[in-house]
Amino acid sequence: MGRRFSANVRPIVGITSYVEPASWGIWIDQDAALIRKSYVDAVTAAGARAVILPPDDTDADVLRALDALIIAGGADLGPDLYGETPGPLTDSRPDRDRGESVLLQAALRTDLPVLGICRGMQLLAVTCGGRLHQHLPDVVGSDKHRPGPGVYGWHGIQLSPGSLAAEVAGDGPEGDGRVEVNTYHHQGVADPGSLLITARADDGVIEAVEDPTKPFVLGVQWHPEESGERRIFESLVDAARAGTA
């Protein structure tokens, strides 16, 4: 899908949105489709126009107007997507699951550039035949990946040489592919399906997956929109421009 446009027109990047109770002005605890502005700022700084996509599982026709797609972070995936029952700490949003699955499947079929962030990486893995750990502390024995409510942790990851993940995250201060990333998640990819694992945390948790057969399909478990990492968004926008040239 995607558009054809002249060089002076910004690519359009769709960002899937949360659906949560929100308050503004006189309106208290209203259901809202929203996204943290850091996602929008990162896309804008990379030279593209951000469009926020609320959940809609009717069709994927909106992709015809987009040049790239970001599946954003948020609540847990429903374990029914990978054939399991919910654990006691799993908190899912079925409307997001349905709507984002429709978009992601269509984007993969049509080679639209895709970036999955946190929950988005997990959906990417599940869509490609994988499955998740529903509660990482049960696997790694600590809360390091989500230290507390609203508190990002930091830890090291090892990137695979020559991967897209390494290209967008850099080689680290020592030039050995080890970088520090921010973290806020209690679920994680257990099996990436058909995707290639291209980064792991120090404790073995999968931190990046990609499809090297596609122009740009990348999932990262960390939050580059919050840490100010521009290269990952610039690379997505470059892929969007290349796909419409």
Side-chain angles (χ1 to χ4, degrees):
M1 296 183 184
R3 305 172 303 129
R4 301 270 175 187
F5 58 87
S6 60
N8 62 342
V9 176
R10 286 186 293 170
I12 296 178
V13 178
I15 309 172
T16 61
S17 63
Y18 312 154
V19 176
E20 302 289 346
S23 301
W24 64 96
I26 62 171
W27 309 108
I28 308 299
D29 289 335
Q30 304 293 305
D31 286 343
L34 52 87
I35 194 70
R36 291 175 69 100
K37 191 169 180 285
S38 54
Y39 285 97
V40 175
D41 291 343
V43 167
T44 302
R49 162 75 74 174
V51 173
I52 297 172
L53 305 173
D56 183 343
D57 64 355
T58 302
D59 55 51
D61 288 354
V62 68
L63 297 185
R64 296 195 183 103
L66 302 181
D67 305 304
L69 175 66
I70 294 175
I71 307 292
D76 301 333
L77 291 184
D80 59 295
L81 294 178
Y82 48 97
E84 295 185 10
T85 58
L89 299 176
T90 296
D91 180 22
S92 62
R93 301 291 185 275
D95 53 348
R96 280 196 69 181
D97 292 349
R98 293 190 300 269
E100 292 176 359
S101 292
V102 169
L103 290 179
L104 182 54
Q105 290 168 21
L108 293 175
R109 286 195 302 270
T110 56
D111 286 346
L112 193 73
V114 173
L115 172 62
I117 295 176
C118 196
R119 167 195 161 92
M121 175 182 122
Q122 295 166 11
L123 180 63
L124 183 59
V126 168
T127 300
C128 292
R131 62 182 181 83
L132 305 184
H133 296 299
Q134 289 193 49
H135 190 54
L136 275 178
D138 294 340
V139 179
V140 300
S142 78
D143 292 320
K144 66 179 287 185
H145 293 275
R146 190 175 68 175
V151 177
Y152 285 92
W154 286 84
H155 61 71
I157 64 171
Q158 181 66 56
L159 296 150
S160 298
S163 65
L164 178 58
E167 178 184 330
V168 302
D171 292 327
E174 303 299 324
D176 58 359
R178 290 185 59 81
V179 299
E180 292 282 316
V181 296
N182 58 349
T183 180
Y184 192 79
H185 61 105
H186 85 109
Q187 297 199 325
V189 173
D191 174 359
S194 62
L195 299 174
L196 183 66
I197 299 169
T198 51
R200 287 186 183 269
D202 297 335
D203 57 11
V205 170
I206 297 171
E207 290 285 330
V209 295
E210 58 193 71
D211 185 345
T213 70
K214 299 284 189 180
F216 192 108
V217 172
L218 174 66
V220 298
Q221 189 59 71
W222 65 93
H223 284 272
E225 81 284 358
E226 292 297 326
S227 59
E229 296 175 58
R230 297 295 188 208
R231 194 185 313 182
I232 190 168
F233 296 99
E234 291 168 351
S235 295
L236 178 71
V237 172
D238 286 345
R241 288 190 181 279
T244 57

PDB file of all heavy atoms in Angstrom, residues 155-187:
ATOM      1  N   HIS A 155      18.852  -1.073  31.397  1.00  0.00           N
ATOM      2  CA  HIS A 155      19.716  -2.250  31.430  1.00  0.00           C
ATOM      3  C   HIS A 155      20.447  -2.371  30.103  1.00  0.00           C
ATOM      4  O   HIS A 155      20.087  -1.730  29.102  1.00  0.00           O
ATOM      5  CB  HIS A 155      18.908  -3.527  31.711  1.00  0.00           C
ATOM      6  CG  HIS A 155      17.862  -3.837  30.686  1.00  0.00           C
ATOM      7  ND1 HIS A 155      18.161  -4.273  29.408  1.00  0.00           N
ATOM      8  CD2 HIS A 155      16.503  -3.768  30.742  1.00  0.00           C
ATOM      9  CE1 HIS A 155      17.037  -4.460  28.727  1.00  0.00           C
ATOM     10  NE2 HIS A 155      16.016  -4.154  29.507  1.00  0.00           N
ATOM     11  N   GLY A 156      21.466  -3.209  30.080  1.00  0.00           N
ATOM     12  CA  GLY A 156      22.234  -3.414  28.873  1.00  0.00           C
ATOM     13  C   GLY A 156      21.588  -4.423  27.948  1.00  0.00           C
ATOM     14  O   GLY A 156      20.869  -5.325  28.385  1.00  0.00           O
ATOM     15  N   ILE A 157      21.835  -4.253  26.657  1.00  0.00           N
ATOM     16  CA  ILE A 157      21.442  -5.253  25.662  1.00  0.00           C
ATOM     17  C   ILE A 157      22.627  -5.509  24.734  1.00  0.00           C
ATOM     18  O   ILE A 157      23.521  -4.660  24.595  1.00  0.00           O
ATOM     19  CB  ILE A 157      20.214  -4.834  24.828  1.00  0.00           C
ATOM     20  CG1 ILE A 157      20.507  -3.588  23.973  1.00  0.00           C
ATOM     21  CG2 ILE A 157      19.004  -4.613  25.720  1.00  0.00           C
ATOM     22  CD1 ILE A 157      19.415  -3.262  22.967  1.00  0.00           C
ATOM     23  N   GLN A 158      22.625  -6.686  24.124  1.00  0.00           N
ATOM     24  CA  GLN A 158      23.631  -7.032  23.124  1.00  0.00           C
ATOM     25  C   GLN A 158      22.945  -7.137  21.771  1.00  0.00           C
ATOM     26  O   GLN A 158      22.025  -7.934  21.589  1.00  0.00           O
ATOM     27  CB  GLN A 158      24.295  -8.364  23.463  1.00  0.00           C
ATOM     28  CG  GLN A 158      25.376  -8.781  22.487  1.00  0.00           C
ATOM     29  CD  GLN A 158      26.589  -7.859  22.512  1.00  0.00           C
ATOM     30  OE1 GLN A 158      27.182  -7.664  23.576  1.00  0.00           O
ATOM     31  NE2 GLN A 158      26.937  -7.279  21.359  1.00  0.00           N
ATOM     32  N   LEU A 159      23.397  -6.329  20.822  1.00  0.00           N
ATOM     33  CA  LEU A 159      22.827  -6.296  19.481  1.00  0.00           C
ATOM     34  C   LEU A 159      23.591  -7.218  18.544  1.00  0.00           C
ATOM     35  O   LEU A 159      24.819  -7.367  18.660  1.00  0.00           O
ATOM     36  CB  LEU A 159      22.867  -4.867  18.931  1.00  0.00           C
ATOM     37  CG  LEU A 159      22.004  -3.852  19.696  1.00  0.00           C
ATOM     38  CD1 LEU A 159      22.613  -2.472  19.611  1.00  0.00           C
ATOM     39  CD2 LEU A 159      20.582  -3.854  19.158  1.00  0.00           C
ATOM     40  N   SER A 160      22.884  -7.833  17.611  1.00  0.00           N
ATOM     41  CA  SER A 160      23.518  -8.716  16.639  1.00  0.00           C
ATOM     42  C   SER A 160      24.199  -7.896  15.554  1.00  0.00           C
ATOM     43  O   SER A 160      23.564  -7.021  14.948  1.00  0.00           O
ATOM     44  CB  SER A 160      22.474  -9.638  15.998  1.00  0.00           C
ATOM     45  OG  SER A 160      21.878 -10.473  16.951  1.00  0.00           O
ATOM     46  N   PRO A 161      25.475  -8.162  15.273  1.00  0.00           N
ATOM     47  CA  PRO A 161      26.190  -7.400  14.242  1.00  0.00           C
ATOM     48  C   PRO A 161      25.490  -7.509  12.884  1.00  0.00           C
ATOM     49  O   PRO A 161      25.012  -8.571  12.499  1.00  0.00           O
ATOM     50  CB  PRO A 161      27.566  -8.071  14.196  1.00  0.00           C
ATOM     51  CG  PRO A 161      27.714  -8.759  15.519  1.00  0.00           C
ATOM     52  CD  PRO A 161      26.324  -9.182  15.915  1.00  0.00           C
ATOM     53  N   GLY A 162      25.427  -6.389  12.195  1.00  0.00           N
ATOM     54  CA  GLY A 162      24.852  -6.374  10.860  1.00  0.00           C
ATOM     55  C   GLY A 162      23.345  -6.353  10.797  1.00  0.00           C
ATOM     56  O   GLY A 162      22.772  -6.317   9.708  1.00  0.00           O
ATOM     57  N   SER A 163      22.682  -6.357  11.935  1.00  0.00           N
ATOM     58  CA  SER A 163      21.222  -6.371  11.960  1.00  0.00           C
ATOM     59  C   SER A 163      20.662  -4.962  11.802  1.00  0.00           C
ATOM     60  O   SER A 163      21.363  -3.961  11.998  1.00  0.00           O
ATOM     61  CB  SER A 163      20.716  -6.982  13.267  1.00  0.00           C
ATOM     62  OG  SER A 163      21.073  -6.162  14.374  1.00  0.00           O
ATOM     63  N   LEU A 164      19.378  -4.893  11.465  1.00  0.00           N
ATOM     64  CA  LEU A 164      18.695  -3.608  11.425  1.00  0.00           C
ATOM     65  C   LEU A 164      18.675  -2.978  12.807  1.00  0.00           C
ATOM     66  O   LEU A 164      18.865  -1.770  12.954  1.00  0.00           O
ATOM     67  CB  LEU A 164      17.270  -3.788  10.888  1.00  0.00           C
ATOM     68  CG  LEU A 164      16.391  -2.541  10.834  1.00  0.00           C
ATOM     69  CD1 LEU A 164      17.017  -1.442   9.987  1.00  0.00           C
ATOM     70  CD2 LEU A 164      14.997  -2.909  10.300  1.00  0.00           C
ATOM     71  N   ALA A 165      18.465  -3.790  13.834  1.00  0.00           N
ATOM     72  CA  ALA A 165      18.465  -3.271  15.204  1.00  0.00           C
ATOM     73  C   ALA A 165      19.786  -2.606  15.547  1.00  0.00           C
ATOM     74  O   ALA A 165      19.832  -1.532  16.161  1.00  0.00           O
ATOM     75  CB  ALA A 165      18.164  -4.398  16.189  1.00  0.00           C
ATOM     76  N   ALA A 166      20.902  -3.233  15.153  1.00  0.00           N
ATOM     77  CA  ALA A 166      22.213  -2.652  15.417  1.00  0.00           C
ATOM     78  C   ALA A 166      22.409  -1.365  14.621  1.00  0.00           C
ATOM     79  O   ALA A 166      23.010  -0.400  15.105  1.00  0.00           O
ATOM     80  CB  ALA A 166      23.303  -3.657  15.076  1.00  0.00           C
ATOM     81  N   GLU A 167      21.889  -1.351  13.407  1.00  0.00           N
ATOM     82  CA  GLU A 167      22.013  -0.150  12.574  1.00  0.00           C
ATOM     83  C   GLU A 167      21.314   1.039  13.213  1.00  0.00           C
ATOM     84  O   GLU A 167      21.830   2.161  13.193  1.00  0.00           O
ATOM     85  CB  GLU A 167      21.423  -0.430  11.195  1.00  0.00           C
ATOM     86  CG  GLU A 167      21.447   0.765  10.252  1.00  0.00           C
ATOM     87  CD  GLU A 167      20.763   0.467   8.935  1.00  0.00           C
ATOM     88  OE1 GLU A 167      20.783  -0.690   8.502  1.00  0.00           O
ATOM     89  OE2 GLU A 167      20.199   1.412   8.345  1.00  0.00           O
ATOM     90  N   VAL A 168      20.132   0.810  13.802  1.00  0.00           N
ATOM     91  CA  VAL A 168      19.362   1.938  14.331  1.00  0.00           C
ATOM     92  C   VAL A 168      19.695   2.253  15.784  1.00  0.00           C
ATOM     93  O   VAL A 168      19.425   3.362  16.248  1.00  0.00           O
ATOM     94  CB  VAL A 168      17.839   1.698  14.193  1.00  0.00           C
ATOM     95  CG1 VAL A 168      17.472   1.462  12.744  1.00  0.00           C
ATOM     96  CG2 VAL A 168      17.365   0.541  15.066  1.00  0.00           C
ATOM     97  N   ALA A 169      20.280   1.293  16.514  1.00  0.00           N
ATOM     98  CA  ALA A 169      20.592   1.524  17.933  1.00  0.00           C
ATOM     99  C   ALA A 169      22.051   1.869  18.162  1.00  0.00           C
ATOM    100  O   ALA A 169      22.418   2.326  19.247  1.00  0.00           O
ATOM    101  CB  ALA A 169      20.217   0.299  18.762  1.00  0.00           C
ATOM    102  N   GLY A 170      22.909   1.640  17.182  1.00  0.00           N
ATOM    103  CA  GLY A 170      24.312   1.985  17.302  1.00  0.00           C
ATOM    104  C   GLY A 170      25.157   0.877  17.910  1.00  0.00           C
ATOM    105  O   GLY A 170      24.652  -0.158  18.346  1.00  0.00           O
ATOM    106  N   ASP A 171      26.462   1.117  17.958  1.00  0.00           N
ATOM    107  CA  ASP A 171      27.414   0.114  18.440  1.00  0.00           C
ATOM    108  C   ASP A 171      27.742   0.253  19.910  1.00  0.00           C
ATOM    109  O   ASP A 171      28.479  -0.565  20.468  1.00  0.00           O
ATOM    110  CB  ASP A 171      28.714   0.200  17.634  1.00  0.00           C
ATOM    111  CG  ASP A 171      28.536  -0.237  16.194  1.00  0.00           C
ATOM    112  OD1 ASP A 171      27.704  -1.131  15.959  1.00  0.00           O
ATOM    113  OD2 ASP A 171      29.214   0.322  15.320  1.00  0.00           O
ATOM    114  N   GLY A 172      27.222   1.314  20.578  1.00  0.00           N
ATOM    115  CA  GLY A 172      27.541   1.515  21.983  1.00  0.00           C
ATOM    116  C   GLY A 172      28.874   2.197  22.181  1.00  0.00           C
ATOM    117  O   GLY A 172      29.670   2.335  21.240  1.00  0.00           O
ATOM    118  N   PRO A 173      29.160   2.633  23.402  1.00  0.00           N
ATOM    119  CA  PRO A 173      30.383   3.414  23.669  1.00  0.00           C
ATOM    120  C   PRO A 173      31.678   2.649  23.415  1.00  0.00           C
ATOM    121  O   PRO A 173      32.714   3.251  23.120  1.00  0.00           O
ATOM    122  CB  PRO A 173      30.241   3.790  25.151  1.00  0.00           C
ATOM    123  CG  PRO A 173      29.264   2.815  25.714  1.00  0.00           C
ATOM    124  CD  PRO A 173      28.335   2.480  24.599  1.00  0.00           C
ATOM    125  N   GLU A 174      31.623   1.331  23.513  1.00  0.00           N
ATOM    126  CA  GLU A 174      32.832   0.524  23.301  1.00  0.00           C
ATOM    127  C   GLU A 174      32.907  -0.039  21.884  1.00  0.00           C
ATOM    128  O   GLU A 174      33.855  -0.757  21.551  1.00  0.00           O
ATOM    129  CB  GLU A 174      32.877  -0.626  24.315  1.00  0.00           C
ATOM    130  CG  GLU A 174      32.823  -0.198  25.766  1.00  0.00           C
ATOM    131  CD  GLU A 174      33.998   0.694  26.147  1.00  0.00           C
ATOM    132  OE1 GLU A 174      35.110   0.452  25.623  1.00  0.00           O
ATOM    133  OE2 GLU A 174      33.809   1.618  26.955  1.00  0.00           O
ATOM    134  N   GLY A 175      31.892   0.224  21.054  1.00  0.00           N
ATOM    135  CA  GLY A 175      31.892  -0.267  19.697  1.00  0.00           C
ATOM    136  C   GLY A 175      31.671  -1.757  19.564  1.00  0.00           C
ATOM    137  O   GLY A 175      31.972  -2.346  18.527  1.00  0.00           O
ATOM    138  N   ASP A 176      31.105  -2.366  20.614  1.00  0.00           N
ATOM    139  CA  ASP A 176      30.916  -3.820  20.617  1.00  0.00           C
ATOM    140  C   ASP A 176      29.461  -4.248  20.524  1.00  0.00           C
ATOM    141  O   ASP A 176      29.131  -5.413  20.754  1.00  0.00           O
ATOM    142  CB  ASP A 176      31.538  -4.424  21.886  1.00  0.00           C
ATOM    143  CG  ASP A 176      30.947  -3.829  23.172  1.00  0.00           C
ATOM    144  OD1 ASP A 176      30.070  -2.939  23.072  1.00  0.00           O
ATOM    145  OD2 ASP A 176      31.373  -4.257  24.263  1.00  0.00           O
ATOM    146  N   GLY A 177      28.578  -3.308  20.187  1.00  0.00           N
ATOM    147  CA  GLY A 177      27.165  -3.639  20.054  1.00  0.00           C
ATOM    148  C   GLY A 177      26.415  -3.749  21.361  1.00  0.00           C
ATOM    149  O   GLY A 177      25.278  -4.224  21.380  1.00  0.00           O
ATOM    150  N   ARG A 178      27.016  -3.289  22.448  1.00  0.00           N
ATOM    151  CA  ARG A 178      26.340  -3.272  23.749  1.00  0.00           C
ATOM    152  C   ARG A 178      25.885  -1.848  24.052  1.00  0.00           C
ATOM    153  O   ARG A 178      26.703  -0.923  24.063  1.00  0.00           O
ATOM    154  CB  ARG A 178      27.247  -3.781  24.873  1.00  0.00           C
ATOM    155  CG  ARG A 178      27.540  -5.264  24.795  1.00  0.00           C
ATOM    156  CD  ARG A 178      28.335  -5.730  26.003  1.00  0.00           C
ATOM    157  NE  ARG A 178      27.636  -5.464  27.255  1.00  0.00           N
ATOM    158  CZ  ARG A 178      26.671  -6.231  27.761  1.00  0.00           C
ATOM    159  NH1 ARG A 178      26.284  -7.332  27.101  1.00  0.00           N
ATOM    160  NH2 ARG A 178      26.092  -5.934  28.897  1.00  0.00           N
ATOM    161  N   VAL A 179      24.580  -1.684  24.268  1.00  0.00           N
ATOM    162  CA  VAL A 179      24.032  -0.371  24.581  1.00  0.00           C
ATOM    163  C   VAL A 179      23.095  -0.492  25.777  1.00  0.00           C
ATOM    164  O   VAL A 179      22.631  -1.581  26.129  1.00  0.00           O
ATOM    165  CB  VAL A 179      23.272   0.231  23.379  1.00  0.00           C
ATOM    166  CG1 VAL A 179      24.200   0.408  22.191  1.00  0.00           C
ATOM    167  CG2 VAL A 179      22.085  -0.633  22.994  1.00  0.00           C
ATOM    168  N   GLU A 180      22.819   0.632  26.405  1.00  0.00           N
ATOM    169  CA  GLU A 180      21.859   0.706  27.499  1.00  0.00           C
ATOM    170  C   GLU A 180      20.523   1.193  26.950  1.00  0.00           C
ATOM    171  O   GLU A 180      20.479   2.146  26.154  1.00  0.00           O
ATOM    172  CB  GLU A 180      22.345   1.666  28.589  1.00  0.00           C
ATOM    173  CG  GLU A 180      23.561   1.188  29.352  1.00  0.00           C
ATOM    174  CD  GLU A 180      23.191   0.132  30.390  1.00  0.00           C
ATOM    175  OE1 GLU A 180      22.189   0.317  31.101  1.00  0.00           O
ATOM    176  OE2 GLU A 180      23.931  -0.872  30.482  1.00  0.00           O
ATOM    177  N   VAL A 181      19.441   0.555  27.371  1.00  0.00           N
ATOM    178  CA  VAL A 181      18.111   0.959  26.915  1.00  0.00           C
ATOM    179  C   VAL A 181      17.178   1.099  28.112  1.00  0.00           C
ATOM    180  O   VAL A 181      17.403   0.506  29.177  1.00  0.00           O
ATOM    181  CB  VAL A 181      17.520  -0.054  25.915  1.00  0.00           C
ATOM    182  CG1 VAL A 181      18.359  -0.115  24.650  1.00  0.00           C
ATOM    183  CG2 VAL A 181      17.382  -1.439  26.540  1.00  0.00           C
ATOM    184  N   ASN A 182      16.126   1.888  27.913  1.00  0.00           N
ATOM    185  CA  ASN A 182      15.113   2.035  28.954  1.00  0.00           C
ATOM    186  C   ASN A 182      14.086   0.916  28.828  1.00  0.00           C
ATOM    187  O   ASN A 182      13.907   0.320  27.764  1.00  0.00           O
ATOM    188  CB  ASN A 182      14.447   3.407  28.879  1.00  0.00           C
ATOM    189  CG  ASN A 182      13.789   3.679  27.539  1.00  0.00           C
ATOM    190  OD1 ASN A 182      13.980   2.944  26.572  1.00  0.00           O
ATOM    191  ND2 ASN A 182      13.019   4.749  27.457  1.00  0.00           N
ATOM    192  N   THR A 183      13.403   0.629  29.908  1.00  0.00           N
ATOM    193  CA  THR A 183      12.530  -0.540  29.916  1.00  0.00           C
ATOM    194  C   THR A 183      11.322  -0.306  30.798  1.00  0.00           C
ATOM    195  O   THR A 183      11.432   0.271  31.884  1.00  0.00           O
ATOM    196  CB  THR A 183      13.321  -1.783  30.407  1.00  0.00           C
ATOM    197  OG1 THR A 183      12.478  -2.924  30.416  1.00  0.00           O
ATOM    198  CG2 THR A 183      13.885  -1.572  31.801  1.00  0.00           C
ATOM    199  N   TYR A 184      10.165  -0.752  30.303  1.00  0.00           N
ATOM    200  CA  TYR A 184       8.937  -0.716  31.120  1.00  0.00           C
ATOM    201  C   TYR A 184       7.963  -1.741  30.564  1.00  0.00           C
ATOM    202  O   TYR A 184       7.125  -1.438  29.724  1.00  0.00           O
ATOM    203  CB  TYR A 184       8.300   0.674  31.137  1.00  0.00           C
ATOM    204  CG  TYR A 184       7.225   0.777  32.189  1.00  0.00           C
ATOM    205  CD1 TYR A 184       7.571   0.955  33.528  1.00  0.00           C
ATOM    206  CD2 TYR A 184       5.883   0.661  31.871  1.00  0.00           C
ATOM    207  CE1 TYR A 184       6.594   1.023  34.512  1.00  0.00           C
ATOM    208  CE2 TYR A 184       4.898   0.717  32.848  1.00  0.00           C
ATOM    209  CZ  TYR A 184       5.262   0.900  34.165  1.00  0.00           C
ATOM    210  OH  TYR A 184       4.305   0.959  35.152  1.00  0.00           O
ATOM    211  N   HIS A 185       8.099  -2.988  31.005  1.00  0.00           N
ATOM    212  CA  HIS A 185       7.199  -4.049  30.556  1.00  0.00           C
ATOM    213  C   HIS A 185       7.291  -5.219  31.525  1.00  0.00           C
ATOM    214  O   HIS A 185       8.338  -5.447  32.135  1.00  0.00           O
ATOM    215  CB  HIS A 185       7.567  -4.510  29.138  1.00  0.00           C
ATOM    216  CG  HIS A 185       8.952  -5.073  29.012  1.00  0.00           C
ATOM    217  ND1 HIS A 185       9.202  -6.421  28.880  1.00  0.00           N
ATOM    218  CD2 HIS A 185      10.167  -4.467  29.004  1.00  0.00           C
ATOM    219  CE1 HIS A 185      10.508  -6.616  28.788  1.00  0.00           C
ATOM    220  NE2 HIS A 185      11.106  -5.456  28.860  1.00  0.00           N
ATOM    221  N   HIS A 186       6.187  -5.943  31.670  1.00  0.00           N
ATOM    222  CA  HIS A 186       6.228  -7.142  32.507  1.00  0.00           C
ATOM    223  C   HIS A 186       5.969  -8.394  31.693  1.00  0.00           C
ATOM    224  O   HIS A 186       6.072  -9.502  32.215  1.00  0.00           O
ATOM    225  CB  HIS A 186       5.225  -7.043  33.671  1.00  0.00           C
ATOM    226  CG  HIS A 186       3.829  -7.463  33.321  1.00  0.00           C
ATOM    227  ND1 HIS A 186       3.253  -8.628  33.789  1.00  0.00           N
ATOM    228  CD2 HIS A 186       2.901  -6.868  32.537  1.00  0.00           C
ATOM    229  CE1 HIS A 186       2.025  -8.733  33.316  1.00  0.00           C
ATOM    230  NE2 HIS A 186       1.784  -7.679  32.550  1.00  0.00           N
ATOM    231  N   GLN A 187       5.643  -8.228  30.399  1.00  0.00           N
ATOM    232  CA  GLN A 187       5.559  -9.358  29.491  1.00  0.00           C
ATOM    233  C   GLN A 187       6.738  -9.294  28.525  1.00  0.00           C
ATOM    234  O   GLN A 187       7.387  -8.259  28.393  1.00  0.00           O
ATOM    235  CB  GLN A 187       4.242  -9.337  28.710  1.00  0.00           C
ATOM    236  CG  GLN A 187       3.015  -9.484  29.591  1.00  0.00           C
ATOM    237  CD  GLN A 187       1.778  -9.920  28.825  1.00  0.00           C
ATOM    238  OE1 GLN A 187       1.574  -9.542  27.687  1.00  0.00           O
ATOM    239  NE2 GLN A 187       0.958 -10.725  29.471  1.00  0.00           N
TER     240      GLN A 187
END
